[in-house]
Amino acid sequence: MILISWNIDSLNAALTSDSQRAHATRAVLQTIYAHKPDIFAIQETKLRATGPTKKHQEILATMFPEYDYVWRSSVEPARKGYAGTMYLYKRDLAPVVSYPRIGAPEPMDDEGRIITLEFANFYVTEVYTPNAGDGLKRLTERQGWDQKYAAYLHELDQKKPVLASGDFNVAHHEIDLAHPENNHRSAGFTDEERAGFTNLLSYGFTDSFRHVHGDVTGVYSWWAQRVRTSKANNSGWRIDYWLVSERMADQVVRSEMIATGDRRDHCPILLEIKD
């Protein structure tokens, strides 16, 4: 199986805008389609509560004609047009879909952050982890989320093996970002967030990228969009992951980033795993 995950930073803009960035995003979508993934997870869709519009549906049907999709948007009392997730999957897969609530600090469970697909022998689940925010104003709530999410994945793993992807909004180790020395109190690299990710892995999960590539450096999944030189200088962070249940780790064939050219922000991440 080939699975791809990507924080797209607004599906609406990607599909309907005429900006240079939107054209670059659509080019990445074409690249993703060329990989023929069995499953494509999307984070930060930023769709309205009612989901993709008719126009969005028509464009998706053109760009991904062999795929069905499910979505989850932010709903009140959470902010409108915020966060959100989606799956596209090949029609013959027909998974059982769930939209879990994990008992996270309010209103995180209403922000459309998790979708889970259940198959006969495994789960595929995606997450858009809450950011600790400017000035770490949401760090306490983020820590609560991390605990609840780890417990949720552990619960799934007790039933069947799990493939978990998404924007986890944390660089786990110093080799996972270009400038760790300057970022120990930055959102995404605090001791608290890193400890939360360590705790998640301790429940029996493997970071598939490190499993395949070891301690390779200079490979990232996010470059600050607001810093024009971030991509050119490879001043990035690895904050997007494919995690797998430890008992499936040896089935991982590939775990890698998909190039996005000059486009800053997140790049897609690909997992190939033996059935």
Side-chain angles (χ1 to χ4, degrees):
M1 292 186 73
I2 292 178
L3 306 94
I4 294 175
S5 179
W6 189 25
N7 179 323
I8 199 170
D9 186 26
S10 180
L11 185 64
N12 175 62
L15 297 182
T16 64
S17 174
D18 196 38
S19 70
Q20 181 178 354
R21 178 175 170 80
H23 283 283
T25 302
R26 287 196 287 276
V28 178
L29 287 171
Q30 291 169 355
T31 298
I32 289 171
Y33 178 72
H35 281 280
K36 301 296 182 185
D38 296 277
I39 298 170
F40 174 27
I42 306 175
Q43 301 91 50
E44 203 169 1
T45 54
K46 295 183 178 178
L47 297 179
R48 63 181 67 175
T50 52
T53 64
K54 184 177 180 181
K55 184 175 183 180
H56 294 150
Q57 294 174 40
E58 291 171 350
I59 296 170
L60 286 171
T62 300
M63 296 188 76
F64 292 87
E66 300 93 358
Y67 292 77
D68 284 335
Y69 58 87
V70 292
W71 53 269
R72 188 177 189 183
S73 293
S74 181
V75 296
E76 292 183 349
R79 287 161 49 191
K80 296 180 180 179
Y82 178 64
T85 46
M86 175 181 279
Y87 269 117
L88 287 87
Y89 53 86
K90 288 184 176 178
R91 290 202 177 107
D92 60 348
L93 293 179
V96 176
V97 183
S98 62
Y99 308 90
R101 300 178 66 86
I102 61 173
E106 295 183 358
M108 291 175 173
D109 271 336
D110 294 306
E111 292 171 349
R113 293 186 175 275
I114 306 174
I115 306 177
T116 298
L117 308 180
E118 180 178 359
F119 299 93
N121 299 315
F122 59 94
Y123 292 99
V124 177
T125 187
E126 70 169 306
V127 65
Y128 177 34
T129 302
N131 193 297
D134 293 339
L136 303 178
K137 61 186 177 184
R138 214 181 187 190
L139 180 58
T140 299
E141 291 86 350
R142 163 63 185 269
Q143 290 177 269
W145 170 278
D146 285 345
Q147 292 171 0
K148 294 292 187 179
Y149 182 72
Y152 171 68
L153 281 198
H154 179 58
E155 179 185 347
L156 290 183
D157 188 54
Q158 297 305 295
K159 303 171 187 175
K160 303 175 188 180
V162 177
L163 309 178
S165 75
D167 174 1
F168 284 79
N169 259 318
V170 61
H172 190 203
H173 296 300
E174 291 196 349
I175 59 173
D176 291 317
L177 71 165
H179 300 291
E181 67 280 0
N182 300 329
N183 284 292
H184 281 282
R185 291 310 291 168
S186 297
F189 196 60
T190 63
D191 290 345
E192 294 88 343
E193 291 163 300
R194 294 168 67 195
F197 196 74
T198 298
N199 177 61
L200 171 58
L201 296 181
S202 76
Y203 278 97
F205 295 96
T206 296
D207 175 352
S208 65
F209 180 84
R210 288 292 170 215
H211 179 74
V212 172
H213 300 281
D215 291 336
V216 64
T217 59
V219 182
Y220 307 120
S221 68
W222 177 82
W223 300 262
Q225 187 184 159
R226 296 177 183 177
V227 180
R228 291 192 176 187
T229 59
S230 63
K231 197 75 177 284
N233 295 337
N234 198 27
S235 182
W237 298 48
R238 192 174 71 93
I239 58 177
D240 303 85
Y241 299 82
W242 272 108
L243 306 182
V244 302
S245 295
E246 285 179 354
R247 59 192 183 279
M248 294 187 76
D250 289 340
Q251 294 172 240
V252 174
V253 178
R254 287 189 292 159
S255 182
E256 59 195 34
M257 285 51 170
I258 295 175
T260 57
D262 294 334
R263 185 187 184 277
R264 299 187 298 278
D265 207 57
H266 295 263
C267 73
I269 55 173
L270 179 148
L271 177 74
E272 183 178 354
I273 191 162
K274 298 176 186 176
D275 290 339

